[in-house]
Amino acid sequence: TDLEAETTYIFGVTAVNEVGESGRKSVVVTTLEAEVEVLPVPDSLFAFTSGQNAMTLMWNAIDGDVEGYKIYNDGELVATLGKYETFYEVGGLEPGTTYCFTVTSYKGDLESEHSAEVCETTPPTVPAALDTLFAEALNDSTVVLTWNAVEGATSYNVYQDYDTTFVTVTDTVYTVTDLEAETTYIFGVTAVNE
């Protein structure tokens, strides 16, 4: 007993009586591969965004003898959790970026295989508000609105007065027609991205 795994040993046996000892008969034997405990792999990993810079991960708890879980992002360790922690929020993420995660279980130095990978994309950054908006009356029924482009915007919504309906344009100029003469109007413009 107490031999090393996967190691070759030579054993010899002799017969003995009161007169003496026989010649030795030897045998060569290699011990088997050590039995390694295999930990269960976490399953049903699910990810959802919890803001532009964060993502929440959830998975099923393991009933077996494990100490906890390890979370990986693209193969790099993100967090080590206890046995009863089956969800985790990953912060500090970039908006509009896809991240892929896996989870393993661990016990001491042992670690399971990685779970199935799950990928999710954080929402893009909301564009900044316009810094300028100009209105010029061309005649008694037409006003031209102009504004500076907003970085990251793919379109603009133009609102008239306090109405919740709007017109979507991709340019930074919009002409409003069919207005009443000598009437005050309030226009608003918001920047939008996808």
Side-chain angles (χ1 to χ4, degrees):
T1 60
D2 299 328
L3 301 178
E4 296 290 327
E6 298 182 77
T7 304
T8 300
Y9 293 92
I10 302 173
F11 296 98
V13 178
T14 62
V16 180
N17 67 11
E18 293 150 357
V19 176
E21 182 180 9
S22 71
R24 177 185 301 187
K25 180 65 176 176
S26 298
V27 63
V28 178
V29 64
T30 301
T31 54
L32 299 176
E33 182 179 351
E35 289 187 14
V36 177
E37 183 180 3
V38 178
L39 298 180
V41 179
D43 65 0
S44 300
L45 177 61
F46 177 73
F48 59 92
T49 57
S50 45
Q52 291 179 327
N53 306 104
M55 200 168 291
T56 298
L57 307 174
M58 302 177 71
W59 58 93
N60 288 338
I62 291 176
D63 292 331
D65 183 21
V66 299
E67 291 180 18
Y69 307 95
K70 293 185 179 183
I71 298 172
Y72 292 85
N73 172 24
D74 290 327
E76 292 193 15
L77 182 64
V78 173
T80 300
L81 307 176
K83 179 175 183 175
Y84 301 104
E85 297 176 275
T86 57
F87 66 92
Y88 184 76
E89 183 176 85
V90 183
L93 305 179
E94 293 293 325
T97 305
T98 299
Y99 293 90
C100 295
F101 297 94
T102 59
V103 176
T104 64
S105 66
Y106 74 90
K107 183 173 84 171
D109 293 333
L110 296 177
E111 188 171 359
S112 74
E113 295 291 325
H114 286 251
S115 69
E117 185 177 66
V118 63
C119 299
E120 188 66 40
T121 302
T122 52
T125 302
V126 176
L130 275 67
D131 59 1
T132 58
L133 176 60
F134 302 101
E136 179 183 0
L138 295 184
N139 53 44
D140 62 355
S141 64
T142 306
V143 169
V144 175
L145 305 174
T146 59
W147 57 90
N148 292 334
V150 174
E151 183 178 355
T154 56
S155 63
Y156 302 90
N157 291 338
V158 180
Y159 295 83
Q160 180 175 325
D161 295 323
Y162 297 102
D163 198 342
T164 56
T165 59
F166 55 86
V167 176
T168 300
V169 297
T170 56
D171 202 353
T172 56
V173 176
Y174 181 68
T175 301
V176 186
T177 58
D178 300 324
L179 300 175
E180 297 290 328
E182 298 183 46
T183 303
T184 300
Y185 292 93
I186 299 174
F187 295 99
V189 178
T190 61
V192 180
N193 66 11
E194 300 174 357

